[in-house]
Amino acid sequence: MSQNEKTLTPKLIKKLWLAFVLLVLLMGSSYIFITGYFANKYSQETTQRLNADVAHHVIAEKFKDASPFLEDGSVNKPLFGDLMHDMMAVNQSIEVYLLNESGDVLYSVVLDHGDKSSIKTVSLAPIQSFIKNKGERFVLGDDPRNPGEQKIFSAAPYSVDGRNGYMYIVLAGKKFQEISDNLMGQYFAKLGIGATFLTMLFSLVIGLMAIWFLTKNLRLITQTVRKFHDGDLEARIADPQDSDIEVFAKSFNEMADSIVGNMDKMKSVDHLRRELIANVSHDLRTPLAILKGYIETLQIKNDTLSEEQKKEYLQITHDNVDKLSNLVNQLFEYSKLEAEQVTPVKEPFSITELSHDLIAKFRVLAEQKQIELQLDNPQENCMVFADVSLVERALQNLIENALKYTQANGKVILSLQKKGKNVEINITDTGTGIPVNEQPFIFDRYKQVDKSAKKHGVGLGLAIVKKIMDLHDTTITVLSKPKEGSSFIFNLPAYQI
Ligand code: ADP
C-alpha cells in the first residue's frame, strides 16, 4: 500500500471529530445542569434542616417576656426591632414574618423596607406541612418579597393573648440568594470548563484507541484487497470470523472465491471454444474440399464421364452437402443451448406416445441396417412433465447414436419405466460400447472416442443431450462395456393425473 493511501479518509475523520465534539459538549452541559440542580437542592435542604427550629426558638425566646402585640392590637414594633438586631448579628440572609391564622403578613423584619412588589399573604399549606413533619421534610414556601418564587423556610405557630398565627422565617433571603447565585455562577463556570476539559481528554484517548482498533482490521482488509487487486489471486482475509467487521471480511473472501471461480470457468470455456472452432473448421473443410473436387471434375470432364459415373459423383456431392448441413444445424442448436437462449416450456405429455412416434420414424433406418428396434413396456401410458420438443431432440440423438454404433443383427431397445415420482428412460444397444476411461468425457462437446468415428458424426449429439438434461434439472448416466453395448439412462418427473 502506498504511503499517501490512508485507511480513513480526511472526510470521515472530520465527521468523527465533529461527532466527538458534539458528544462532549452535550455530555458536559448535561453534567453541569444535573450537578447544579442537585448541588442547589442539597445546599437548600441542608440549610433548611439546620435551621428548622429557628422559628420555634424565636417564639420561645422573644415572646416569653413580651407579647408581639400591643394593647391596641397593633404589632409590637420595638420587640421586632430588637429581634431584627439579634438576627442580623447572627445571619443577614434571613427574613422574619409574623403571620396571622390565614397567612396574612402582619409584620416583617427585613433589611430593605422599601420593597413594593412584596405580597401580603403567604400560602399556608407548605407551612402546615413543615410544622406537621417537624421540619424534617424538605418543603419550599412563598417568598413574600419575590412573588412567584419558592424558598426554604422555618416556621412555628404562636398563640398569644388569644391571637393565633405563625412565625415565618425565610432562610434563604435576598442576601442568601445573591451570594448563592454569585458563587453558583463561579462554580458552574469552573465545573463546566473542568467537566468539558476532562470529557474531551477522555474522549480523545478513548476515541483514538477506538479508531486504532477499528482501523487495525480495516488496514488488514485494505492490504488484502490491494494484494488481490495487484494480481495475487490467492490473497484472502485470514480468520474472517475473528474480524470486527466479520460480514465484510467474509463477503470479500466469498467475492474473491467467486471471481477466481468465474475466471477459471471462463478460461476453460475459452479453451473449449478454441478447440471447437479448430475442430469445426477441420470438419467443414473436408466435405467442402470433397464437394469442390467432384464439382470441378463434373465441370471439366462432363463430356468424357459415363452416366453411371456422373450419378455416383452427384450422390457423393449430395452426401457431403447433407453432412455439412447436419453439422451447421447441430452447431446452431448447440450454441443456442449454450448461450442459454432456450427456455424449456414444460408441460405434461405422454412419453409413451412420443417413443412410439420415434420408433416409427427410425424403423426404416433400422431395417436398412438390419437392426432390431423395439419399444419396451409399451402398454403402460407414462406421462411426464417436461419440454416435449427438447425431450424429443434428446431421444432422437440417443437413438441415432445407438443405431450408428450398432452392427447388423444388433438390437436397440427404448424402455420406459415408472419409478416413484419419476419415469426412467433407457436406451440400450448391443453396439460397439464405450471404453470405461472414455465414458466420463463423451458428454463434452466435440469428444469422440474413436477419432475415426468422425465419419459417423460431428461429436455434438451427446453435448446437446447433456444441455437438455441440465435444462430439466436431471442427469444422464451411461453404462457401457466395449464390444457388448451401451445404455443411456435418464429420469424425467412423472406427471400424476
Ligand atoms: P457423434 O456425432 O460423434 O456421435 P456424440 O456426441 O453423439 O457425437 O457422441 C460422442 C461419442 O460418444 C461418439 O463419438 C462415440 O464415440 C460415443 N458414443 C455415443 N453413443 C454411443 C453408443 N450408443 N455406442 C457407442 N459409442 C457411443
Side-chain angles (χ1 to χ4, degrees), residues 330 397-398 401-406 429 431-434 442-444 446-450 453-454 456-464 480 485-486 488:
Q330 288 216 47
N397 285 4
L398 292 169
N401 275 353
L403 292 173
K404 213 192 294 181
Y405 299 104
T406 304
D429 63 57
T432 54
I434 308 157
I442 53 166
F443 294 101
D444 292 345
Y446 235 86
K447 279 273 168 357
Q448 286 181 316
V449 175
D450 176 6
K454 285 217 179 222
H456 293 299
V458 292
L460 279 171
L462 287 183
I464 290 172
S480 180
S486 322
F488 287 84

Side-chain angles (χ1 to χ4, degrees), residues 120-309:
K120 297 282 174 266
T121 306
V122 178
S123 164
L124 282 181
I127 296 174
Q128 281 159 354
S129 156
F130 179 85
I131 293 167
K132 201 173 135 212
N133 292 298
K134 297 196 175 81
E136 275 169 15
R137 231 183 85 197
F138 180 58
V139 56
L140 295 174
D142 289 342
D143 177 8
R145 292 182 80 190
N146 297 298
E149 275 189 30
Q150 299 277 296
K151 292 280 168 63
I152 45 169
F153 64 91
S154 166
Y158 67 80
S159 180
V160 187
D161 306 335
R163 288 163 190 268
N164 296 319
Y166 301 97
M167 175 64 76
Y168 182 61
I169 300 175
V170 174
L171 296 170
K174 208 169 182 178
K175 187 89 181 164
F176 179 92
Q177 202 61 47
E178 276 168 19
I179 294 168
S180 162
D181 285 352
N182 192 10
L183 279 177
M184 207 65 124
Q186 283 179 23
Y187 273 106
F188 267 17
K190 281 182 195 159
L191 192 73
I193 294 168
T196 314
F197 179 75
L198 275 180
T199 323
M200 207 95 152
L201 192 77
F202 289 143
S203 318
L204 184 75
V205 174
I206 293 169
L208 283 176
M209 272 164 67
I211 288 176
W212 193 85
F213 274 115
L214 190 73
T215 51
K216 194 178 141 202
N217 283 287
L218 263 181
R219 273 196 303 274
L220 205 93
I221 291 175
T222 320
Q223 273 170 16
T224 317
V225 172
R226 172 108 350 234
K227 258 197 213 163
F228 191 79
H229 171 263
D230 290 344
D232 179 2
L233 298 180
E234 300 289 309
R236 296 287 183 280
I237 295 155
D239 305 323
Q241 69 281 357
D242 295 339
S243 170
D244 291 337
I245 20 188
E246 185 188 337
V247 179
F248 182 60
K250 276 189 175 161
S251 305
F252 170 77
N253 282 358
E254 281 164 19
M255 187 193 76
D257 285 346
S258 76
I259 288 176
V260 172
N262 284 342
M263 277 170 71
D264 288 347
K265 235 192 240 166
M266 274 162 68
K267 269 188 209 155
S268 88
V269 165
D270 193 51
H271 175 74
L272 282 169
R273 188 157 289 151
R274 260 183 272 160
E275 198 179 315
L276 180 73
I277 290 171
N279 290 337
V280 167
S281 33
H282 175 262
D283 271 8
L284 284 171
R285 258 209 313 269
T286 320
L288 274 174
I290 297 170
L291 274 175
K292 200 172 166 234
Y294 279 95
I295 290 169
E296 273 174 6
T297 317
L298 278 168
Q299 276 177 334
I300 298 164
K301 298 188 180 168
N302 196 22
D303 301 335
T304 53
L305 287 173
S306 68
E307 276 308 303
E308 201 95 322
Q309 280 173 314

Side-chain angles (χ1 to χ4, degrees), residues 398 402 411 413 415 424-431 433-434 439 442-443 462 476-481 484-490:
L398 292 169
K411 242 188 190 181
I413 301 167
S415 79
E424 189 188 87
I425 298 132
N426 186 334
I427 298 103
T428 300
D429 63 57
T430 54
I434 308 157
Q439 286 175 17
I442 53 166
F443 294 101
L462 287 183
I476 181 159
T477 33
V478 57
L479 302 173
S480 180
K481 261 191 187 168
E484 285 185 21
S486 322
S487 289
F488 287 84
I489 306 154
F490 65 96

Side-chain angles (χ1 to χ4, degrees), residues 328-343:
V328 171
N329 281 341
Q330 288 216 47
L331 268 174
F332 182 64
E333 199 170 344
Y334 180 76
S335 64
K336 255 195 343 190
L337 281 164
E338 201 195 41
E340 285 168 12
Q341 283 173 357
V342 180
T343 328

